[in-house]
Short mmCIF file of all heavy atoms in Angstrom, two decimals:
data_model
loop_
_atom_site.label_atom_id
_atom_site.label_comp_id
_atom_site.label_asym_id
_atom_site.label_seq_id
_atom_site.Cartn_x
_atom_site.Cartn_y
_atom_site.Cartn_z
N ALA C 174 22.51 127.47 115.86
CA ALA C 174 21.20 127.24 116.38
C ALA C 174 20.31 126.46 115.37
O ALA C 174 19.48 125.66 115.73
CB ALA C 174 20.55 128.58 116.78
N ALA C 175 20.48 126.90 114.08
CA ALA C 175 19.72 126.18 113.03
C ALA C 175 20.05 124.64 112.97
O ALA C 175 19.21 123.88 112.80
CB ALA C 175 20.00 126.85 111.71
N TYR C 176 21.35 124.36 113.18
CA TYR C 176 21.75 122.92 113.21
C TYR C 176 21.23 122.26 114.41
O TYR C 176 20.93 121.00 114.30
CB TYR C 176 23.29 122.86 113.20
CG TYR C 176 23.98 123.28 111.91
CD1 TYR C 176 25.22 123.80 111.89
CD2 TYR C 176 23.28 123.07 110.74
CE1 TYR C 176 25.88 124.11 110.69
CE2 TYR C 176 23.97 123.41 109.48
CZ TYR C 176 25.16 123.90 109.49
OH TYR C 176 25.84 124.28 108.33
N LEU C 177 20.95 123.03 115.46
CA LEU C 177 20.22 122.30 116.58
C LEU C 177 18.90 121.93 116.21
O LEU C 177 18.29 120.87 116.66
CB LEU C 177 20.27 123.25 117.82
CG LEU C 177 21.60 123.35 118.59
CD1 LEU C 177 21.45 124.32 119.73
CD2 LEU C 177 22.02 121.96 119.15
N LEU C 178 18.20 122.77 115.48
CA LEU C 178 16.80 122.49 115.02
C LEU C 178 16.92 121.22 114.16
O LEU C 178 15.92 120.33 114.18
CB LEU C 178 16.24 123.69 114.22
CG LEU C 178 15.94 124.93 115.00
CD1 LEU C 178 15.42 126.00 114.08
CD2 LEU C 178 14.96 124.63 116.09
N VAL C 179 17.91 121.16 113.29
CA VAL C 179 18.04 119.91 112.47
C VAL C 179 18.25 118.71 113.31
O VAL C 179 17.66 117.60 113.06
CB VAL C 179 19.26 120.11 111.45
CG1 VAL C 179 19.51 118.81 110.64
CG2 VAL C 179 19.02 121.34 110.53
N THR C 180 19.02 118.87 114.34
CA THR C 180 19.29 117.70 115.27
C THR C 180 17.96 117.28 115.91
O THR C 180 17.69 116.09 115.99
CB THR C 180 20.31 118.16 116.39
OG1 THR C 180 21.46 118.60 115.78
CG2 THR C 180 20.58 116.99 117.26
N ALA C 181 17.20 118.21 116.33
CA ALA C 181 15.90 117.90 116.90
C ALA C 181 14.96 117.28 115.96
O ALA C 181 14.24 116.33 116.34
CB ALA C 181 15.27 119.22 117.50
N ALA C 182 14.98 117.67 114.66
CA ALA C 182 14.09 117.06 113.67
C ALA C 182 14.49 115.58 113.45
O ALA C 182 13.59 114.73 113.42
CB ALA C 182 14.25 117.90 112.34
N PHE C 183 15.75 115.38 113.38
CA PHE C 183 16.22 113.88 113.25
C PHE C 183 15.89 113.10 114.46
O PHE C 183 15.59 111.88 114.36
CB PHE C 183 17.72 113.87 112.86
CG PHE C 183 18.04 114.03 111.41
CD1 PHE C 183 18.30 115.26 110.89
CD2 PHE C 183 18.02 112.96 110.58
CE1 PHE C 183 18.58 115.44 109.62
CE2 PHE C 183 18.29 113.06 109.26
CZ PHE C 183 18.57 114.29 108.76
N ALA C 184 15.92 113.71 115.59
CA ALA C 184 15.62 112.98 116.80
C ALA C 184 14.16 112.52 116.91
O ALA C 184 13.85 111.51 117.56
CB ALA C 184 16.01 113.77 118.15
N THR C 185 13.32 113.19 116.23
CA THR C 185 11.88 112.86 116.17
C THR C 185 11.45 111.99 114.97
O THR C 185 10.36 111.66 114.92
CB THR C 185 10.98 114.14 116.24
OG1 THR C 185 11.31 114.96 115.14
CG2 THR C 185 11.26 114.91 117.55
N LEU C 186 12.44 111.82 114.12
CA LEU C 186 12.10 110.87 112.93
C LEU C 186 12.00 109.46 113.49
O LEU C 186 12.65 109.07 114.47
CB LEU C 186 13.20 110.96 111.91
CG LEU C 186 13.22 112.21 111.01
CD1 LEU C 186 14.39 112.26 110.13
CD2 LEU C 186 11.95 112.23 110.12
N PRO C 187 11.16 108.57 112.76
CA PRO C 187 11.15 107.16 113.19
C PRO C 187 12.54 106.48 113.02
O PRO C 187 13.25 106.78 112.12
CB PRO C 187 10.17 106.57 112.21
CG PRO C 187 10.08 107.48 111.03
CD PRO C 187 10.43 108.82 111.55
N GLN C 188 12.81 105.59 113.94
CA GLN C 188 14.07 104.87 113.88
C GLN C 188 14.10 104.05 112.62
O GLN C 188 15.15 103.99 111.91
CB GLN C 188 14.16 103.85 115.10
CG GLN C 188 15.32 102.91 115.09
CD GLN C 188 16.67 103.70 115.26
OE1 GLN C 188 16.61 104.84 115.64
NE2 GLN C 188 17.76 103.08 114.89
N SER C 189 13.04 103.34 112.21
CA SER C 189 12.91 102.65 111.00
C SER C 189 11.53 102.19 110.83
O SER C 189 10.88 101.78 111.76
CB SER C 189 13.83 101.40 111.04
OG SER C 189 13.62 100.64 109.75
N VAL C 190 10.96 102.36 109.58
CA VAL C 190 9.61 101.96 109.32
C VAL C 190 9.54 100.47 109.45
O VAL C 190 8.53 99.88 109.84
CB VAL C 190 9.16 102.39 107.94
CG1 VAL C 190 7.78 101.87 107.58
CG2 VAL C 190 9.06 104.00 108.01
N ARG C 191 10.57 99.73 108.94
CA ARG C 191 10.62 98.34 109.06
C ARG C 191 11.51 97.86 110.17
O ARG C 191 12.60 98.40 110.41
CB ARG C 191 11.13 97.66 107.69
CG ARG C 191 10.09 97.71 106.65
CD ARG C 191 10.71 97.46 105.26
NE ARG C 191 11.60 98.50 104.89
CZ ARG C 191 11.13 99.61 104.33
NH1 ARG C 191 9.81 99.79 104.17
NH2 ARG C 191 11.89 100.66 103.93
N THR C 192 11.09 96.82 110.90
CA THR C 192 11.96 96.32 112.00
C THR C 192 13.05 95.52 111.37
O THR C 192 12.84 94.58 110.63
CB THR C 192 11.09 95.40 112.86
OG1 THR C 192 9.95 96.20 113.35
CG2 THR C 192 11.88 94.91 114.10
N GLU C 193 14.25 95.80 111.91
CA GLU C 193 15.44 95.07 111.44
C GLU C 193 16.26 94.69 112.66
O GLU C 193 16.34 95.41 113.59
CB GLU C 193 16.29 95.97 110.49
CG GLU C 193 15.55 96.33 109.18
CD GLU C 193 16.46 97.16 108.26
OE1 GLU C 193 17.55 97.48 108.70
OE2 GLU C 193 15.98 97.44 107.16
N GLU C 194 16.94 93.53 112.57
CA GLU C 194 17.85 93.12 113.62
C GLU C 194 19.08 93.98 113.66
O GLU C 194 19.60 94.38 112.61
CB GLU C 194 18.26 91.66 113.40
CG GLU C 194 17.08 90.65 113.56
CD GLU C 194 16.48 90.67 114.99
OE1 GLU C 194 17.27 90.82 115.95
OE2 GLU C 194 15.30 90.47 115.11
N PRO C 195 19.58 94.38 114.85
CA PRO C 195 20.75 95.18 114.90
C PRO C 195 21.94 94.38 114.29
O PRO C 195 22.04 93.12 114.44
CB PRO C 195 21.01 95.40 116.27
CG PRO C 195 20.25 94.37 117.03
CD PRO C 195 19.01 94.10 116.17
N ALA C 196 22.90 95.04 113.64
CA ALA C 196 24.03 94.42 113.05
C ALA C 196 24.98 93.87 114.13
O ALA C 196 25.10 94.41 115.23
CB ALA C 196 24.80 95.35 112.22
N PRO C 197 25.53 92.66 113.96
CA PRO C 197 26.46 92.16 114.87
C PRO C 197 27.70 93.02 115.02
O PRO C 197 28.03 93.79 114.09
CB PRO C 197 26.79 90.78 114.38
CG PRO C 197 26.53 90.86 112.88
CD PRO C 197 25.44 91.83 112.75
N VAL C 198 28.47 92.85 116.11
CA VAL C 198 29.73 93.60 116.20
C VAL C 198 30.68 93.07 115.16
O VAL C 198 30.97 91.90 115.04
CB VAL C 198 30.34 93.37 117.62
CG1 VAL C 198 31.62 94.03 117.75
CG2 VAL C 198 29.36 93.88 118.74
N ARG C 199 31.30 93.96 114.44
CA ARG C 199 32.20 93.63 113.36
C ARG C 199 33.62 94.24 113.57
O ARG C 199 33.70 95.41 113.97
CB ARG C 199 31.64 94.09 111.95
CG ARG C 199 30.31 93.49 111.60
CD ARG C 199 29.84 93.89 110.28
NE ARG C 199 28.48 93.43 109.94
CZ ARG C 199 28.16 92.21 109.58
NH1 ARG C 199 29.14 91.37 109.39
NH2 ARG C 199 26.90 91.96 109.36
N ARG C 200 34.61 93.47 113.38
CA ARG C 200 35.95 93.96 113.54
C ARG C 200 36.74 93.65 112.31
O ARG C 200 36.32 92.91 111.41
CB ARG C 200 36.58 93.36 114.77
CG ARG C 200 35.86 93.76 116.06
CD ARG C 200 36.59 93.18 117.29
NE ARG C 200 35.96 93.54 118.55
CZ ARG C 200 34.97 92.98 119.08
NH1 ARG C 200 34.42 91.92 118.54
NH2 ARG C 200 34.42 93.46 120.21
N GLY C 201 37.95 94.14 112.28
CA GLY C 201 38.87 93.81 111.14
C GLY C 201 38.63 94.74 109.99
O GLY C 201 37.95 95.76 110.07
N LEU C 202 39.08 94.26 108.81
CA LEU C 202 39.01 95.07 107.64
C LEU C 202 37.62 95.25 107.08
O LEU C 202 37.30 96.28 106.47
CB LEU C 202 39.99 94.50 106.49
CG LEU C 202 41.45 94.52 106.88
CD1 LEU C 202 42.24 93.84 105.75
CD2 LEU C 202 41.96 95.97 107.07
N GLY C 203 36.78 94.22 107.24
CA GLY C 203 35.38 94.34 106.86
C GLY C 203 35.24 94.65 105.32
O GLY C 203 35.77 93.93 104.46
N VAL C 204 34.62 95.73 105.00
CA VAL C 204 34.25 96.06 103.63
C VAL C 204 35.60 96.34 102.77
O VAL C 204 35.52 96.27 101.57
CB VAL C 204 33.38 97.36 103.59
CG1 VAL C 204 34.18 98.56 104.06
CG2 VAL C 204 32.82 97.53 102.20
N LEU C 205 36.72 96.61 103.43
CA LEU C 205 37.93 96.86 102.70
C LEU C 205 38.40 95.60 102.00
O LEU C 205 39.28 95.69 101.08
CB LEU C 205 39.04 97.40 103.61
CG LEU C 205 38.79 98.78 104.19
CD1 LEU C 205 39.92 99.21 105.15
CD2 LEU C 205 38.71 99.83 103.00
N ARG C 206 37.84 94.43 102.39
CA ARG C 206 38.24 93.18 101.64
C ARG C 206 37.36 93.08 100.40
O ARG C 206 37.60 92.18 99.59
CB ARG C 206 37.91 91.93 102.55
CG ARG C 206 38.93 91.85 103.73
CD ARG C 206 38.81 90.39 104.30
NE ARG C 206 39.64 90.27 105.43
CZ ARG C 206 39.31 90.39 106.69
NH1 ARG C 206 38.06 90.71 107.00
NH2 ARG C 206 40.15 90.19 107.71
N ASP C 207 36.24 93.85 100.30
CA ASP C 207 35.37 93.64 99.16
C ASP C 207 35.85 94.48 97.92
O ASP C 207 35.59 95.69 97.79
CB ASP C 207 33.97 94.21 99.57
CG ASP C 207 32.92 93.81 98.56
OD1 ASP C 207 33.22 93.52 97.42
OD2 ASP C 207 31.70 93.68 98.96
N LEU C 208 36.74 93.90 97.14
CA LEU C 208 37.36 94.53 96.07
C LEU C 208 36.36 95.09 95.03
O LEU C 208 36.67 96.12 94.37
CB LEU C 208 38.42 93.67 95.41
CG LEU C 208 39.55 93.27 96.35
CD1 LEU C 208 40.55 92.34 95.51
CD2 LEU C 208 40.29 94.44 96.90
N ARG C 209 35.30 94.32 94.83
CA ARG C 209 34.34 94.87 93.78
C ARG C 209 33.72 96.18 94.20
O ARG C 209 33.55 97.08 93.40
CB ARG C 209 33.27 93.85 93.58
CG ARG C 209 32.75 93.16 94.88
CD ARG C 209 31.39 92.99 94.95
NE ARG C 209 31.14 93.12 96.39
CZ ARG C 209 30.17 92.60 96.99
NH1 ARG C 209 29.37 91.81 96.36
NH2 ARG C 209 29.93 92.73 98.30
N LEU C 210 33.41 96.32 95.47
CA LEU C 210 32.80 97.61 95.95
C LEU C 210 33.85 98.68 95.88
O LEU C 210 33.57 99.84 95.43
CB LEU C 210 32.32 97.55 97.43
CG LEU C 210 31.65 98.80 97.78
CD1 LEU C 210 30.16 98.85 97.56
CD2 LEU C 210 31.86 99.13 99.30
N LEU C 211 35.08 98.39 96.23
CA LEU C 211 36.19 99.40 96.18
C LEU C 211 36.46 99.85 94.76
O LEU C 211 36.76 100.96 94.46
CB LEU C 211 37.44 98.88 96.82
CG LEU C 211 37.35 98.60 98.38
CD1 LEU C 211 38.64 98.08 98.91
CD2 LEU C 211 36.85 99.79 99.11
N SER C 212 36.37 98.85 93.81
CA SER C 212 36.55 99.24 92.37
C SER C 212 35.40 100.12 91.90
O SER C 212 35.71 101.09 91.11
CB SER C 212 36.68 97.96 91.50
OG SER C 212 35.45 97.23 91.56
N LEU C 213 34.19 99.87 92.31
CA LEU C 213 33.06 100.73 92.00
C LEU C 213 33.29 102.12 92.58
O LEU C 213 33.04 103.11 91.95
CB LEU C 213 31.75 100.18 92.47
CG LEU C 213 31.28 98.86 91.84
CD1 LEU C 213 30.13 98.23 92.63
CD2 LEU C 213 30.82 99.15 90.41
N ALA C 214 33.75 102.17 93.82
CA ALA C 214 34.05 103.43 94.46
C ALA C 214 35.13 104.25 93.73
O ALA C 214 35.04 105.40 93.67
CB ALA C 214 34.40 103.20 95.94
N CYS C 215 36.13 103.53 93.26
CA CYS C 215 37.24 104.19 92.50
C CYS C 215 36.68 104.86 91.23
O CYS C 215 37.05 106.00 90.91
CB CYS C 215 38.33 103.21 92.25
SG CYS C 215 39.35 102.72 93.63
N VAL C 216 35.90 104.11 90.48
CA VAL C 216 35.30 104.64 89.24
C VAL C 216 34.48 105.84 89.55
O VAL C 216 34.46 106.90 88.91
CB VAL C 216 34.49 103.51 88.51
CG1 VAL C 216 33.79 104.19 87.33
CG2 VAL C 216 35.41 102.49 87.95
N ASP C 217 33.60 105.65 90.62
CA ASP C 217 32.68 106.77 91.01
C ASP C 217 33.55 107.93 91.46
O ASP C 217 33.18 109.13 91.15
CB ASP C 217 31.77 106.34 92.13
CG ASP C 217 30.87 107.46 92.53
OD1 ASP C 217 30.05 107.90 91.71
OD2 ASP C 217 30.91 107.93 93.69
N GLY C 218 34.66 107.70 92.12
CA GLY C 218 35.49 108.85 92.58
C GLY C 218 36.01 109.70 91.40
O GLY C 218 36.06 110.89 91.47
N VAL C 219 36.35 109.01 90.25
CA VAL C 219 36.79 109.72 89.09
C VAL C 219 35.59 110.53 88.54
O VAL C 219 35.74 111.73 88.20
CB VAL C 219 37.33 108.78 87.98
CG1 VAL C 219 37.66 109.56 86.71
CG2 VAL C 219 38.65 108.11 88.55
N LEU C 220 34.42 109.89 88.40
CA LEU C 220 33.23 110.59 87.86
C LEU C 220 32.90 111.74 88.77
O LEU C 220 32.39 112.76 88.21
CB LEU C 220 32.14 109.62 87.70
CG LEU C 220 32.27 108.50 86.70
CD1 LEU C 220 31.01 107.63 86.61
CD2 LEU C 220 32.58 109.03 85.30
N GLN C 221 33.17 111.69 90.06
CA GLN C 221 32.67 112.73 90.93
C GLN C 221 33.73 113.91 90.89
O GLN C 221 33.54 114.92 91.67
CB GLN C 221 32.56 112.26 92.35
CG GLN C 221 31.45 111.13 92.47
CD GLN C 221 30.08 111.55 92.10
OE1 GLN C 221 29.76 112.79 92.22
NE2 GLN C 221 29.30 110.67 91.62
N LEU C 222 34.72 113.84 90.06
CA LEU C 222 35.59 114.96 89.83
C LEU C 222 34.92 116.21 89.32
O LEU C 222 35.50 117.27 89.26
CB LEU C 222 36.80 114.65 88.97
CG LEU C 222 37.97 113.87 89.60
CD1 LEU C 222 38.90 113.31 88.59
CD2 LEU C 222 38.66 114.64 90.65
N TRP C 223 33.66 116.00 88.87
CA TRP C 223 32.84 117.24 88.45
C TRP C 223 32.82 118.29 89.51
O TRP C 223 32.81 119.48 89.25
CB TRP C 223 31.50 116.89 88.03
CG TRP C 223 30.64 116.32 89.13
CD1 TRP C 223 30.37 114.95 89.48
CD2 TRP C 223 29.93 117.16 90.11
NE1 TRP C 223 29.59 114.98 90.57
CE2 TRP C 223 29.32 116.27 90.99
CE3 TRP C 223 29.74 118.49 90.22
CZ2 TRP C 223 28.49 116.69 92.04
CZ3 TRP C 223 28.99 118.94 91.33
CH2 TRP C 223 28.39 118.08 92.21
N GLN C 224 32.84 117.87 90.79
CA GLN C 224 32.65 118.82 91.86
C GLN C 224 33.89 119.69 91.99
O GLN C 224 33.79 120.95 92.01
CB GLN C 224 32.38 118.12 93.20
CG GLN C 224 32.08 119.07 94.30
CD GLN C 224 31.67 118.31 95.59
OE1 GLN C 224 32.39 117.45 96.05
NE2 GLN C 224 30.51 118.61 96.16
N PRO C 225 35.13 119.21 92.17
CA PRO C 225 36.25 120.09 92.18
C PRO C 225 36.52 120.86 90.92
O PRO C 225 37.05 121.97 91.01
CB PRO C 225 37.46 119.25 92.58
CG PRO C 225 36.99 117.80 92.24
CD PRO C 225 35.57 117.79 92.46
N ILE C 226 36.09 120.28 89.79
CA ILE C 226 36.19 121.08 88.56
C ILE C 226 35.22 122.32 88.60
O ILE C 226 35.69 123.41 88.30
CB ILE C 226 35.83 120.22 87.32
CG1 ILE C 226 36.93 119.19 87.09
CG2 ILE C 226 35.59 121.05 86.09
CD1 ILE C 226 36.55 118.15 85.99
N LEU C 227 34.01 122.12 89.10
CA LEU C 227 33.09 123.19 89.19
C LEU C 227 33.53 124.18 90.15
O LEU C 227 33.52 125.43 89.98
CB LEU C 227 31.69 122.59 89.51
CG LEU C 227 30.61 123.64 89.71
CD1 LEU C 227 30.25 124.32 88.43
CD2 LEU C 227 29.38 122.98 90.34
N ASN C 228 34.04 123.76 91.39
CA ASN C 228 34.36 124.69 92.47
C ASN C 228 35.76 125.24 92.39
O ASN C 228 35.93 126.29 93.01
CB ASN C 228 34.14 123.94 93.76
CG ASN C 228 32.66 123.58 94.05
OD1 ASN C 228 31.75 124.25 93.53
ND2 ASN C 228 32.42 122.52 94.76
N LEU C 229 36.71 124.57 91.82
CA LEU C 229 38.07 124.97 91.82
C LEU C 229 38.64 125.26 90.41
O LEU C 229 39.10 126.39 90.14
CB LEU C 229 38.99 123.91 92.45
CG LEU C 229 38.75 123.61 93.91
CD1 LEU C 229 39.55 122.40 94.39
CD2 LEU C 229 39.17 124.77 94.71
N ALA C 230 38.60 124.24 89.49
CA ALA C 230 39.25 124.41 88.23
C ALA C 230 38.63 125.48 87.33
O ALA C 230 39.37 126.25 86.69
CB ALA C 230 39.32 123.08 87.59
N PHE C 231 37.31 125.37 87.23
CA PHE C 231 36.64 126.32 86.33
C PHE C 231 36.87 127.80 86.71
O PHE C 231 37.28 128.57 85.81
CB PHE C 231 35.12 125.92 86.17
CG PHE C 231 34.23 127.08 86.20
CD1 PHE C 231 34.19 128.01 85.15
CD2 PHE C 231 33.28 127.21 87.19
CE1 PHE C 231 33.31 128.93 85.04
CE2 PHE C 231 32.38 128.26 87.17
CZ PHE C 231 32.34 129.15 86.10
N PRO C 232 36.70 128.24 87.90
CA PRO C 232 36.94 129.63 88.26
C PRO C 232 38.43 130.04 88.13
O PRO C 232 38.78 131.16 87.67
CB PRO C 232 36.46 129.78 89.67
CG PRO C 232 36.29 128.43 90.21
CD PRO C 232 36.08 127.54 89.03
#
Side-chain angles (χ1 to χ4, degrees):
Y176 288 150
L177 282 178
L178 293 177
V179 175
T180 304
F183 274 93
T185 58
L186 285 170
Q188 175 67 17
S189 175
V190 172
R191 282 168 291 281
T192 302
E193 296 180 358
E194 293 295 326
V198 177
R199 300 182 188 278
R200 297 182 176 87
L202 294 177
V204 69
L205 292 178
R206 291 195 182 96
D207 193 335
L208 296 181
R209 42 138 210 209
L210 184 90
L211 297 182
S212 64
L213 290 167
C215 287
V216 170
D217 181 63
V219 174
L220 294 180
Q221 299 302 327
L222 280 171
W223 65 264
Q224 187 176 54
I226 288 174
L227 178 67
N228 295 331
L229 293 172
F231 139 65

